[in-house]
Amino acid sequence: MRAEEIRRLYVKFFEERGHKEIASASLIPENDSDVLFTTAGMHPLIPYFSGLEHPMGKRLVGIQKCVRTDDIDEVGDAFHHTYFEMLGNWSLGDYFKQESIKMSFDFLTGVLGIPAERLAVTVFGGNEQTPKDTEAYEIWKETGINENRIYFYGMKENWWGPVGETGPCGPDTEIFYDTGANPCGVNCGPACECGKFVEIWNNVFMQYNKLSDGSYAKLEEKYVDTGMSLERILAVSNNLESNYETECFYPVMEKIKSLTKAANPQNYTREYRIIADHMRAAAFILGDGKKVTPSNKKHGYILRRLIRRVIRIIRMMNVSENILPQIAEVIISINAPVYPELADNREFICDQLNKEFIQFGKTLTLGLKAAEKLFSHLAPGEKLDADAIFRLFDTFGFPPELTGELANERGIAADMAGFKKRLADHQEKSRRAQ
Ligand code: SER
């Protein structure tokens, strides 16, 4: 099954059930937002989860470009990304758990043909403030999912939102695909990280509004927010072992392999994946039309981190020329038919990648000199303090992870936790100054 077919079937399925299609919003949230990027399909809809009427009605469907940095350390495995496409359907005070779960089940089994016995689902198990979701549990049983495939978990696994500190949120039910791998132990289940279960879809039942004092007020209406990663459902529907084997990534991975020319490509799977993922996120952020550029602040800082991590990896692979624009070209050509803004901003994307490559080269040369000077005053076993790491970062844009690695090589400890705190204080100060 092709990506375009899944997109089309998804929208059609929900249109046939009374939903209206909404276009993807920008990756940079329009209104004042607690978070830098659009992290889920529901993000641009937040005002409509608090009573405001949406001009297109109470049932919506859409595909949203998303960037999440929470998962950045997981990138390199089979299924996590910083940028991904989220297929979503929403009920704004219309249907609730019964219809939502039934539609998800019918789409997966009826339209995509995934055998029901390959599914496992999780349901909110309750806590002191909010009850166990027995309603969702009963509905899943009615669909025919065996009760030993329905798992109750706590807030960490089965509660979603709010985006930022306050706002609409609620218990969710997550749908997993069982890869068929052997269980990793007696307690193996969707919450464990062994890879047997891949989360494909999350149905959130927005019933609460989290307030600034940390309490949960009941929302007047009930809302549904669902989200499914296109990349994952594409991999699962095609029986592929990772998202990187799907058409969203495969040509990018091939291009990276041919440009980096490693003698033993099988040793670099993780590196290729990180390059492909981060370059895709960078291309989409640069190509969003908001003219975000690499910098030391806010969106620009995330963008810079993504691009510089790629540059560091390719340098580590002994590639000194700038191959970033060539990788970006492949990403643009795969995605421009659906996201034409990438083609419209092609020149800007490549130009910024070139500039950052040159800038980072200078940074590395100057920063390395300054770092060497600092290390020359320290003996193995001594500690590089947070202020020194921060100065290297602030003055030269020298990546703190690199400072940490250099310290490590010399047997010197680096106060990374102190640095993180110092950076957060600095960012908070510059935010307030705006
Ligand atoms: N907002 C939920 C999530 O991101 C469902 O889309 O998982």
Side-chain angles (χ1 to χ4, degrees), residues 39-42 68 86 160 199 202 204 225-227:
T39 55
M42 63 79 74
R68 281 189 187 176
M86 188 184 270
W160 202 86
E199 183 198 333
N202 185 8
V204 185
D225 152 44
T226 90

Side-chain angles (χ1 to χ4, degrees), residues 39-43 66 68 84 86-90 160-161 163 172 174 199 201-204 206 225-228:
T39 55
M42 63 79 74
H43 197 159
C66 300
R68 281 189 187 176
F84 64 101
M86 188 184 270
L87 307 166
N89 59 282
W90 298 277
W160 202 86
V163 172
D172 64 26
E174 297 189 342
E199 183 198 333
W201 205 342
N202 185 8
N203 291 26
V204 185
M206 297 274 179
D225 152 44
T226 90
M228 170 157 64

Side-chain angles (χ1 to χ4, degrees), residues 169-186:
C169 55
D172 64 26
T173 182
E174 297 189 342
I175 309 171
F176 290 75
Y177 178 77
D178 182 346
T179 59
N182 288 329
C184 62
V186 278

